[in-house]
Amino acid sequence: VRVTIAACDVADRDAVAALLARLDDDPAPLTAVVHAAGLNDVAPLLDTDLDRLAAVSSGKTAGAAHLDELLGDRPLDAFVLFASIAGVWGSGGQAGYAAGNAYLDALAERRHARGLAATSVAWGPWADGGMATDDAQRELARRGLRVLAPADAVHAMRVAVGRGGPALTVADVDWTTFAPAYASTRPRPFLAELPDARQAVRDAAGTPTDGGAALRDELRGLTGEDQDRRLTDLVRAEAAAVLGHGGPERVKPRRAFKDLGFDSLTAVELRNRLNRATGLSLPTTLVFDHPDPAALAGHLRATLLPDAPAGPAADPTETAVRHALATVPLARIREAGLLDLLLGLTGDDGPAAEPDGAGVDLDEMDTDTLIRLALDGTES
């Protein structure tokens, strides 16, 4: 085997044309192409301007388009495009990257329709030098996407080319973890034909064998205030378990779930644990519909004991403020330098004081403390 390494910017059409011309001058004919270029720039869609989008997509889309155009109808044994699962089912912060990879799948379909060799492989993360960093690999594994060993991936590529289909996905997925989170906000017909994924979604909504009867009986023997306290403690304990805390102490009753570190995956895990504890069939959007553990406990009480007397009506102003603050983690407010401004609006010139006189660390500030300070300042 003879190997030649030639630098070439595949986004530059003239550079690709020159490379192919040099290959045509070689006695050994060109029989296969593997387009593996890629640049991954993780950023929210709102922070992705045209220049940033072009930089991410050009290596994928322009390079593939140039190869397809310049090679024309030349017969090849293989024309392989390295795509990504980001273009198949999406990936947070990778809008431009996802679009570029979806283009590769479409290009392969078009070449296939022309009777030309084409295989677009939407890869999951690779180990040992793949585009995902070590931290990203650990986060992906937590979400149910395990890294592929390069030897296994290369073998899968050989099988994919041999099958003759234009596009397929190769990923090592733990469906019991991935599928419930992926289907947390709405049904996913995409998974309907995958038995393991379909079963994982069903299992995630499981309920206790007694249908929550024991918890209901316990609550009926308590006063309304104690019912709220019992259910708040339940939510805090389950939330702490999901977040990996040693106990519920770090889960404050009035601290927004987003401030506590909940995302789509941990939201599903908490929903599943509360389903099993209460016997209810709770929606996967639970922690997004109810901003903090105390509010969620109130919802559980009303659902478990619909005939019980309702608690005191919440202050509509406080409720509106809580929901508004729950949409933006206080960490973001602190980073933007707005927390001091908000505290200033409450009438406090510096770090707020708790009733016992202890100062409040701004880094430990939660939604409940901020709202209480605002309400106290209004009353005074």
Side-chain angles (χ1 to χ4, degrees):
V1 174
R2 181 164 50 88
V3 176
T4 300
I5 298 175
C8 175
D9 179 2
V10 293
D12 182 339
R13 186 184 186 280
D14 291 340
V16 177
L19 174 62
L20 292 176
R22 292 198 300 273
L23 291 175
D24 287 338
D25 290 338
D26 193 289
L30 176 64
T31 59
V33 171
V34 177
H35 173 53
L39 172 66
N40 187 9
D41 179 23
V42 179
L45 182 58
L46 291 177
D47 294 340
T48 304
D49 57 22
L50 290 179
D51 290 340
R52 197 167 188 173
L53 180 63
V56 172
S57 62
S58 61
K60 286 284 186 185
T61 59
H66 295 332
L67 287 167
D68 175 56
E69 177 188 351
L70 293 169
L71 289 168
D73 293 337
R74 181 184 307 203
L76 295 170
D77 294 334
F79 185 92
V80 182
L81 302 167
F82 271 39
S84 168
I85 54 173
V88 177
W89 57 61
S91 185
Q94 295 185 323
Y97 184 69
N101 284 289
Y103 174 88
L104 298 187
D105 293 343
L107 178 62
E109 295 278 1
R110 189 175 68 183
R111 284 183 58 88
H112 187 73
R114 288 159 50 198
L116 301 173
T119 308
S120 179
V121 183
W123 295 107
W126 280 44
D128 302 333
M131 293 179 69
T133 64
D134 290 343
D135 288 342
Q137 289 182 17
R138 284 190 288 271
E139 178 62 19
L140 289 169
R142 190 177 72 86
R143 294 175 178 271
L145 285 171
R146 297 176 288 242
V147 293
L148 294 162
D152 293 339
V154 171
H155 174 71
M157 183 173 65
R158 291 176 58 192
V159 173
V161 172
R163 289 178 57 181
L168 76 163
T169 301
V170 178
D172 186 358
V173 185
D174 175 6
W175 291 112
T176 59
T177 300
F178 181 84
Y182 185 64
S184 63
T185 57
R186 60 185 181 273
R188 299 288 189 172
F190 175 78
L191 302 180
E193 297 182 12
L194 300 175
D196 289 349
R198 187 171 61 242
Q199 188 60 47
V201 173
R202 291 174 179 171
D203 292 345
T207 56
T209 55
D210 69 350
L215 178 61
R216 283 185 173 87
D217 289 343
E218 179 187 353
L219 292 173
R220 289 191 181 100
L222 301 174
T223 64
E225 184 177 344
D226 287 340
Q227 289 172 351
D228 287 336
R229 184 179 297 107
R230 170 69 176 88
L231 290 171
T232 300
D233 288 344
L234 171 64
V235 173
R236 293 175 66 200
E238 298 294 354
V242 168
L243 295 173
H245 298 323
E249 297 79 13
R250 294 180 61 183
V251 180
K252 299 180 181 180
R254 289 292 187 177
R255 187 164 192 178
F257 284 112
K258 286 189 177 181
D259 280 346
L260 292 168
F262 273 86
D263 55 21
S264 58
L265 177 62
T266 47
V268 172
E269 292 178 9
L270 178 58
R271 187 285 304 259
N272 294 343
R273 295 179 74 99
L274 290 175
N275 274 353
R276 290 189 288 270
T278 64
L280 299 173
S281 181
L282 299 164
T284 52
T285 56
L286 193 66
V287 303
F288 305 110
D289 297 335
H290 307 281
D292 54 49
L296 177 51
H299 171 71
L300 294 179
R301 181 190 178 202
T303 307
L304 287 165
L305 304 173
D307 298 328
D315 181 345
T317 301
E318 179 177 346
T319 300
V321 173
R322 286 191 184 282
H323 280 276
L325 286 175
T327 64
V328 182
L330 288 181
R332 294 290 296 273
I333 296 176
R334 280 194 294 270
E335 291 168 4
L338 295 176
L339 188 53
D340 289 328
L341 176 61
L342 289 172
L343 289 175
L345 294 176
T346 71
D348 282 273
D349 296 327
E354 294 282 9
D356 61 3
V360 176
D361 184 346
L362 294 186
D363 290 334
E364 293 297 324
M365 176 73 70
D366 61 13
T367 303
D368 191 46
T369 303
L370 181 58
I371 291 174
R372 187 177 69 252
L373 290 169
L375 294 176
D376 289 346
T378 302
E379 292 171 358
S380 61

